[in-house]
């Protein structure tokens, strides 16, 4: 019996991420590098991390992750309308652009431009996958003990309050 995924394991995996209709959103296949993470530190979305516990190299698993266990529910308060003139490059704003914004308490976050209408711009601070149920297909390539340095780095990252990207933080 090989090593199983548990806290402090260094995990190497391939994944395909689909939406509920089956459309591919992201993945590590097609010659891309596999994902490497230390299990137990929130380096991947919480629902996926829980579902991988106990798997071994060679295992394949499909995991359905609810929004609450992935990127959260959409928060309508994170969609704001601003004057185009308030943006860094007001004459060069396009739908899909990302802008670093700052909250009144000093926290920075990414805002995506979702609409440009005359002198007004609508920005969305939700993660692009917020509110989405996600379907991961994972293939575990390798599992082994993480080094002390890898564990320290994972622990330091887990102390940060951040929103996960597609699969990893």
């Amino acid at each position: 019996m090989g090593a199983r995924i548990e806290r402090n394991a260094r995990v190497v995996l391939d994944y395909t991420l689909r939406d509920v209709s089956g459309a591919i959103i992201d993945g590590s296949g097609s010659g891309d590098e596999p994902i490497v993470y230390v299990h137990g530190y929130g380096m991947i979305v919480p629902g996926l991390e829980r579902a991988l516990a106990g798997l071994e190299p060679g295992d394949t698993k499909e995991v359905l992750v609810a929004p609450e266990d992935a990127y959260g529910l959409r928060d309508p308060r994170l969609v704001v309308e601003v004057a185009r003139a308030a943006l860094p490059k007001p004459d060069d704003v396009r739908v899909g652009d990302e802008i670093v914004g700052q909250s009144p308490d000093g926290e920075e976050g990414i805002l995506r431009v979702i609409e440009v209408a005359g002198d007004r711009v609508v920005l969305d601070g939700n993660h692009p996958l917020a509110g989405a149920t996600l379907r991961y297909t994972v293939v575990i390539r390798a599992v082994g003990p993480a080094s002390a340095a890898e564990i320290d780095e994972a622990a330091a990252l887990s102390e940060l309050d951040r929103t996960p990207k597609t699969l990893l933080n």
Side-chain angles (χ1 to χ4, degrees), residues 116-127:
V116 178
D119 65 346
R120 310 298 294 165
V121 176
V122 179
L123 303 171
D124 187 351
N126 287 288
H127 187 281

Side-chain angles (χ1 to χ4, degrees), residues 146-157:
S147 69
E150 290 170 323
I151 292 169
D152 288 347
E153 182 180 350
L157 289 173

Side-chain angles (χ1 to χ4, degrees), residues 10-142:
R10 180 181 184 273
V11 180
V12 181
L13 63 85
D14 286 316
Y15 77 99
T16 302
L17 172 60
R18 292 180 171 85
D19 63 19
V20 290
S21 72
I24 294 176
I25 298 171
D26 194 15
S28 66
S30 301
D32 290 342
E33 290 294 313
I35 299 302
V36 179
Y37 79 99
V38 178
H39 193 79
Y41 293 91
M43 297 178 77
I44 61 175
V45 295
L48 179 60
E49 186 170 47
R50 282 192 303 275
L52 297 181
L55 296 182
E56 299 178 325
D59 286 348
T60 298
K61 186 169 187 174
E62 186 153 322
V63 180
L64 196 63
V65 181
E68 300 85 354
D69 290 328
Y71 299 97
L73 299 173
R74 288 196 50 75
D75 184 346
R77 297 172 299 171
L78 297 179
V79 178
V80 296
E81 185 174 304
V82 299
R84 181 193 285 247
L87 299 178
K89 296 180 181 178
D91 295 330
D92 192 29
V93 178
R94 308 266 183 276
V95 171
D97 288 351
E98 292 184 345
I99 298 168
V100 177
Q102 192 169 26
S103 70
D105 61 359
E107 280 190 53
E108 287 189 350
I110 301 294
L111 301 165
R112 283 177 299 106
V113 176
I114 59 171
E115 183 180 335
V116 178
D119 65 346
R120 310 298 294 165
V121 176
V122 179
L123 303 171
D124 187 351
N126 287 288
H127 187 281
L129 295 175
T133 297
L134 305 174
R135 193 172 84 206
Y136 288 94
T137 302
V138 297
V139 178
I140 307 302
R141 283 194 183 184

